[in-house]
């Protein structure tokens, strides 16, 4: 099925590099700068992904979220990614888990935007697994470590309890201890969001896997496949 992408607001250098790649991947791309079109577009047409440049002239982000997530919207389940400058990333991030799926710094590298897009349009099946995981963030004066449990795991990422001390964008070394699987799964993951504890009933962080040691990704995929089977 053709995937439909809606771009709201002015393009950015990162978008200018990413959109041609999406077009070559058979995305159908619709653009608009008109705030009066937004509500009718998301109500009447199904979009798989919406990328909005914050701020939107004539349309608040809260209004956009309400229009997209309305139960009568044809794009109710669309991924919503917001591009914001460094001064707005924090305030916009308050809507993560409340209708916004990803927030990406407008001045960040294009590969971070592409990774976020890929994560939203090709979400891997998540399996509810309670596994022990150690997370570690290295800073100038040493390491911050957390030993906690996962809520769910997929081949591309994991949701874990706790970890709010790790900012969005942090690169964490991890050791994942899965039931009846040795040795442990090791690699690095990037924090992409903090959960909304009230809505999701989990106080924690979501992280996408960035790097695995050796063949650990293959081992993880095989483990998840055995659980699904």
């Amino acid at each position: 099925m053709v995937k439909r992408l809606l771009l709201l607001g002015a393009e950015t250098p990162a978008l200018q590099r990413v959109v041609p790649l999406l077009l070559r991947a058979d995305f159908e791309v619709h653009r608009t700068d008109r705030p009066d079109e937004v509500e009718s577009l998301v109500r009447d047409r199904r979009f798989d992904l919406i990328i909005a440049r914050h701020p939107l002239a004539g349309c608040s982000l809260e209004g956009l979220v309400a229009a997209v997530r309305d139960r009568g919207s044809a794009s109710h389940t669309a991924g919503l990614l917001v591009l914001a400058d460094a001064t707005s990333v924090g305030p916009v991030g308050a809507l993560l888990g409340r209708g916004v799926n990803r927030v990406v710094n407008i001045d960040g590298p294009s590969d971070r935007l592409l990774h976020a897009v890929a994560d939203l349009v090709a979400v891997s099946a998540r399996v509810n697994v309670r596994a022990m995981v150690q997370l570690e963030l290295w800073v100038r004066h040493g390491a911050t470590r957390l030993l906690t449990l996962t809520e769910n795991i997929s081949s591309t990422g994991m949701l874990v309890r706790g970890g709010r001390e790790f900012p969005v964008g942090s690169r964490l070394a991890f050791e994942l201890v899965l039931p009846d699987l040795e040795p442990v799964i090791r690699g690095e993951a990037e924090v992409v969001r903090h959960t909304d504890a009230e809505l999701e009933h989990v106080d924690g962080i979501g992280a996408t896997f960035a790097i695995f040691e050796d063949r650990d990704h293959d081992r993880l995929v095989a483990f998840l496949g055995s659980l699904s089977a």
Side-chain angles (χ1 to χ4, degrees):
M1 182 182 295
V2 173
K3 300 224 178 258
R4 296 190 177 99
L5 167 64
L6 175 62
L7 299 178
L8 302 176
E11 281 199 6
T12 67
L15 265 179
Q16 289 169 358
R17 289 188 289 270
V18 167
V19 168
L21 298 176
L22 298 178
L23 288 171
R24 288 200 293 272
D26 294 328
F27 271 77
E28 179 184 301
V29 179
H30 186 97
R31 297 177 174 89
T32 183
D33 293 321
R34 294 177 52 187
D36 57 312
E37 285 188 345
V38 172
E39 187 172 343
S40 61
L41 276 172
V42 299
R43 182 186 65 238
D44 300 333
R45 296 192 62 186
R46 176 189 62 80
F47 290 100
D48 301 283
L49 176 64
I50 300 169
I51 300 179
R53 167 71 166 93
H54 177 77
L56 281 171
C59 180
S60 70
L61 184 56
E62 291 81 3
L64 172 62
V65 169
V68 171
R69 300 308 178 201
D70 186 89
R71 292 194 178 276
S73 165
S75 299
H76 177 70
T77 60
L80 178 55
L81 187 155
V82 178
L83 288 167
D85 60 31
T87 61
S88 302
V89 165
V92 171
L95 290 173
L96 276 171
R98 295 177 177 269
V100 173
N101 300 104
R102 296 287 188 277
V103 178
V104 176
N105 190 327
I106 203 168
D107 298 316
S110 56
D111 60 345
R112 179 166 293 181
L113 173 59
L114 189 59
H115 188 278
V117 168
D119 191 40
L120 289 176
V121 298
V123 177
S124 301
R126 282 168 162 73
V127 179
N128 293 326
V129 181
R130 296 292 186 273
M132 187 177 297
V133 60
Q134 177 174 286
L135 303 174
E136 184 176 86
L137 174 66
W138 279 92
V139 292
R140 175 182 294 182
H141 302 295
T144 299
R145 294 184 179 89
L146 172 69
L147 186 63
T148 184
L149 294 173
T150 62
E151 282 291 321
N152 59 57
I153 306 172
S154 76
S155 62
T156 59
M158 59 185 168
L159 180 66
V160 305
R161 300 178 184 179
R164 287 183 174 271
E165 63 268 34
F166 301 124
V168 172
S170 299
R171 193 71 169 259
L172 310 176
F174 70 85
E175 291 188 354
L176 185 60
V177 184
L178 296 169
D180 302 319
L181 187 69
E182 294 183 355
V184 300
I185 302 290
R186 292 184 174 89
E188 293 183 8
E190 181 176 335
V191 179
V192 293
R193 69 185 185 94
H194 291 173
T195 65
D196 184 316
E198 183 177 342
L199 290 177
E200 300 177 72
H201 307 294
V202 178
D203 187 9
I205 58 174
T208 58
F209 297 129
I211 297 174
F212 286 89
E213 286 192 4
D214 300 324
R215 296 183 58 82
D216 279 2
H217 184 251
D218 294 336
R219 296 172 58 229
L220 174 62
V221 170
F223 172 82
L224 296 174
S226 68
L227 294 182
S228 299

